[in-house]
Amino acid sequence: MTVRELDAAGIHDPALRAAYARCRTLNARHGKTYFLATRLLPVDRRPAVHALYGFARWADDIVDDLDSTATAGERARALLALEAQLEEGLRRDRATEPVIRALSDTVRRYGIDHRHFTDFLASMRSDLTVGGYASYEELGRYMHGSAAVIGLQMLPVLGTAGPREEAAPHAAALGVAFQLTNFLRDVGEDLDRGRLYLPAELLAAYGVDRERFEWSRRTGARDGRITDVLRAAASHNRAVYRDALPGIAMLAPVSRPCIRTAFVLYSGILDAIEADGYAVLHRRAVVPRRRRAVVALDGLVRAVAVRGVRRRRGAAGAGAYVTGPVRRRTADAAVPVREEAV
């Protein structure tokens, strides 16, 4: 966390500054796409985003770290301890753990609904006992807590150009779209954890089952029916991105370049998966560095332009956007993003 970001956000207490710095480190280590996009936000909003994602990454590590030797029972106890610490931070303002302290400060500053964190931890707990889902409907109930609420947590920080409740469904959809992309990219690693986030009804529609996926992961052999399942999952994922897309224009203009960049980069993972022949059971698909650089540069140009307009309009113009309580089309864009006026 840079001194400039912390100063701009009005975070002056040394212990609290160190807590936010810890969250920034977690976000940078685990979420390269999110971290890159966050750099396009105004400096005063970046610490809050790092706190939200830092907490999510920390909880996710408890559940998913393949390098950990912790048993399921030990992971469950760690989640319970985390929930108790969160309770102390959110309701009693007594957090001592740095990540919880930064998160609690962000929640208070932006008036974020505590239920989003309750729902999130419920989904994290289910990962310790649930290894698969029968249908997209069943998976959707899990993803409400694991993904949709992340978008809803972010919305007060990003700000909206109109009523927040109108943007909320699109923010939730974007969280789900990002996670569906993770599920597709990481299907092999998730099988190693004993989980498959592709619904059984989808597999059955193409004449395969979970055992066939595990066979392919174990042997390295390919099956055209598995490729068909993965292709169908990617198509479903793109439809969710389309549902989320109108929400970008509903955000405060200063936040649009950040979310647009995350949208293009993350949906671009689907292009990388397709280009690699849907070989996700055997290797991870990645967006080429050149493409990431092009998209990031485009986002930076947009961010600078918006901030220039904001400065010219003065503080009065900035007040028109709802925050806390008190495309141009590019050649390699995965999903067309319409031009937003600034």
Side-chain angles (χ1 to χ4, degrees):
M1 190 72 60
T2 66
V3 170
R4 178 168 167 256
E5 290 171 350
L6 292 166
D7 288 346
I11 301 165
H12 303 298
D13 176 79
L16 190 56
R17 288 166 77 94
Y20 273 101
R22 170 63 178 153
C23 292
R24 184 182 189 273
T25 298
L26 286 170
N27 195 13
R29 181 188 307 158
H30 295 293
K32 292 180 173 60
T33 297
Y34 293 126
F35 184 77
L36 175 63
T38 300
R39 300 292 297 167
L40 301 176
L41 282 174
V43 290
D44 62 317
R45 303 190 196 193
R46 295 176 197 168
V49 176
H50 291 314
L52 293 171
Y53 276 108
F55 173 76
R57 297 291 175 185
W58 184 24
D60 192 63
D61 276 352
I62 291 174
V63 174
D64 279 345
D65 186 1
L66 285 172
D67 295 326
S68 172
T69 59
T71 65
E74 290 168 337
R75 292 176 193 264
R77 287 190 289 275
L79 276 180
L80 283 174
L82 175 60
E83 191 164 15
Q85 293 177 66
L86 183 63
E87 176 79 11
E88 287 292 299
L90 294 184
R91 303 196 184 280
R92 299 184 181 89
D93 195 19
R94 296 176 182 172
T96 56
E97 205 291 324
V99 173
I100 298 295
R101 184 170 185 180
L103 177 72
S104 301
D105 183 68
T106 288
V107 169
R108 283 190 294 274
R109 286 171 183 262
Y110 288 94
I112 300 171
D113 193 330
H114 292 189
R115 290 176 298 179
H116 297 329
F117 302 96
T118 302
D119 292 346
F120 172 74
L121 288 175
S123 287
M124 293 299 99
R125 283 194 300 274
S126 75
D127 272 335
L128 297 177
T129 57
V130 179
Y133 296 87
S135 64
Y136 270 120
E137 181 180 1
E138 189 176 288
L139 180 63
R141 289 193 289 272
Y142 163 80
M143 287 194 296
H144 166 75
S146 63
V149 297
I150 302 296
L152 297 175
Q153 291 168 19
M154 284 280 291
L155 202 53
V157 179
L158 299 173
T160 55
R164 190 178 296 166
E165 59 271 19
E166 292 181 8
H170 302 289
L174 189 57
V176 169
F178 287 164
Q179 187 166 64
L180 285 170
T181 301
N182 280 340
F183 288 162
L184 195 57
R185 181 195 63 191
D186 300 338
V187 63
E189 294 176 17
D190 285 331
L191 277 174
D192 295 343
R193 298 182 178 102
R195 298 189 214 116
L196 182 63
Y197 294 103
L198 299 173
E201 66 178 9
L202 176 63
L203 274 61
Y206 292 90
V208 295
D209 55 19
R210 181 182 182 131
E211 287 70 29
R212 194 64 175 172
F213 270 71
E214 291 170 343
W215 164 82
S216 179
R217 174 68 170 171
R218 183 175 63 254
T219 65
R222 302 290 297 273
D223 185 322
R225 295 170 298 172
I226 290 177
T227 300
D228 290 340
V229 169
L230 298 171
R231 185 180 292 111
S235 178
H236 174 79
N237 195 172
R238 291 190 191 278
V240 180
Y241 276 112
R242 288 193 292 272
D243 289 341
L245 179 57
I248 296 177
M250 297 179 183
L251 298 175
V254 293
S255 296
R256 292 175 196 166
C258 166
I259 302 306
R260 179 190 181 280
T261 297
F263 184 106
V264 174
L265 287 175
Y266 236 83
S267 60
I269 295 173
L270 296 178
D271 286 344
I273 291 171
E274 181 180 11
D276 197 33
Y278 296 94
V280 287
L281 279 168
H282 315 298
R283 55 182 175 267
R284 172 179 280 212
V286 296
V287 178
R289 288 185 178 180
R290 180 181 178 279
R291 181 177 179 185
R292 288 171 57 88
V294 168
V295 175
L297 179 60
D298 180 72
L300 178 60
V301 169
R302 289 170 178 269
V304 170
V306 171
R307 291 170 200 171
V309 170
R310 193 184 188 200
R311 282 195 296 270
R312 290 193 296 273
R313 289 177 178 171
Y321 304 105
V322 183
T323 54
V326 237
R327 155 148 105 161
R328 178 179 59 192
R329 193 173 304 206
T330 58
D332 54 359
V335 181
V337 179
R338 71 177 178 228
E339 185 72 58
E340 300 104 7
V342 296

